Amino acid sequence: MIAINFNNTINFMSLKIPALILSGILVIASLGLMATKGMNWGLDFTGGTVIEVGYQRDADLSAVRSVLADAGFPDAVVQYFGSSREVLIRIGPRDDIEQVTLGEQVLRLLGDADGTVDMRRIEYVGPSVGAELKEQGGLATLAALICILIYVAFRFEWRFALGAVAALAHDVIITLGLFSLLGLEFDLTVLAAVLAVIGYSLNDTIVVCDRIREGFRRIRESAPIDVVNESLTGTMSRTIITSLTTILVLLVLFFKGGELIHGFATALLFGVVIGTYSSVYIASSMSLLLGISREDLMPPPVEKEGENTEPLL
């Protein structure tokens, strides 16, 4: 059942040029931020030490941070892990302290402040492993975009394929730019969210492309821009309902999910919004600018078996 009806066609493409200009500015700004300010890479990519400790009563994170800062670890990331009695501590790589002794030193510092603390686990991530994860994450994103380009080109039309890949690249770059601007930590969970954003945006783009293709086959006398506007209007009910329900779930994760998935929820929240926008204004606008027409989307004529194509004498 359609919950939202749009009786009048919305002229989305009247804003295609301003939208493309805005997107171009945002993409350039995001690339500039990543080149100058860089990303706040998490320990998954930079290497470091992850220490999990347990308390017999609720832990005071402010007190733990204060103890570590006074001991020379002001950059330590301290957060609850599962419950208020489990604390996860992440410390970046140190040249002056061996990782083998770092866990013992941290446990001793926390034990002096609270004798009930005990070590649960300690993990070390080397810089070479972090660099490898960073490279593999980039290759995974690139491979996803190439596979999508090939699929959409075969499934629809090459103009739609270029528009879809441009929209996905647009979403990824601007999402990374947001993390660079705000200085949010980028770890493996955020990378997973970025790949999920690609999947969500692609699903939205495929629906839009399919509706536009059907519109060209169904509406024969209208100009391409009118067909695109009518097709986009027809997808609005589905787009709004899907986006709103997804955003409601992500808002719960953002506010109640805890520190460990805060970056994940942030990337997905922003990605859903920017992905919905790009499906309408990037993928569709690019297809129009590349000259999509009804002739490009019509199925090839099928010659019936036994049909005599020779002229009768």
Side-chain angles (χ1 to χ4, degrees), residues 229-261:
N229 282 326
E230 183 167 337
S231 301
L232 291 174
T233 303
T235 66
M236 277 298 100
S237 174
R238 175 256 175 207
T239 299
I240 291 175
I241 294 173
T242 303
S243 299
L244 285 181
T245 52
T246 305
I247 287 173
L248 287 176
V249 175
L250 292 175
L251 285 174
V252 175
L253 289 177
F254 182 83
F255 290 108
K256 298 295 184 181
E259 191 68 25
L260 281 179
I261 60 173

Side-chain angles (χ1 to χ4, degrees), residues 294-312:
R294 178 175 176 272
E295 289 73 18
D296 300 320
L297 300 174
M298 291 298 294
V302 179
E303 182 178 340
K304 296 181 180 179
E305 185 178 354
E307 183 179 5
N308 186 9
T309 57
E310 296 181 358
L312 296 176

Side-chain angles (χ1 to χ4, degrees), residues 28 32 57 151 155:
I28 293 173
R57 54 179 177 271
Y151 167 76
R155 180 69 175 81

Side-chain angles (χ1 to χ4, degrees), residues 53 55 58-59 61 79-88 120:
V53 296
Y55 289 83
D58 292 347
L61 295 186
Q79 58 198 49
Y80 290 123
F81 186 74
S83 71
S84 59
R85 297 187 180 186
E86 306 287 332
V87 176
L88 191 71
R120 298 296 170 84

Side-chain angles (χ1 to χ4, degrees), residues 146-190:
I146 293 175
C147 291
I148 290 165
L149 175 65
I150 297 173
Y151 167 76
V152 179
F154 278 99
R155 180 69 175 81
F156 295 98
E157 215 268 344
W158 67 268
R159 295 173 180 83
F160 280 142
L162 291 180
V165 171
L168 297 178
H170 164 276
D171 299 343
V172 171
I173 292 173
I174 294 181
T175 301
L176 295 178
L178 175 70
F179 272 74
S180 178
L181 175 65
L182 300 180
L184 300 175
E185 184 178 359
F186 192 96
D187 54 18
L188 284 178
T189 61
V190 178

Side-chain angles (χ1 to χ4, degrees), residues 35-101:
T36 56
K37 187 178 180 181
M39 303 293 294
N40 180 19
W41 300 107
L43 293 183
D44 298 324
F45 299 107
T46 63
T49 306
V50 179
I51 305 167
E52 183 185 348
V53 296
Y55 289 83
Q56 294 183 4
R57 54 179 177 271
D58 292 347
D60 186 350
L61 295 186
S62 299
V64 174
R65 294 189 185 100
S66 179
V67 169
L68 294 176
D70 294 340
F73 304 105
D75 59 336
V77 178
V78 181
Q79 58 198 49
Y80 290 123
F81 186 74
S83 71
S84 59
R85 297 187 180 186
E86 306 287 332
V87 176
L88 191 71
I89 302 168
R90 294 185 288 178
I91 301 176
R94 298 276 175 164
D95 297 330
D96 55 337
I97 303 176
E98 294 185 3
Q99 288 186 332
V100 177
T101 61

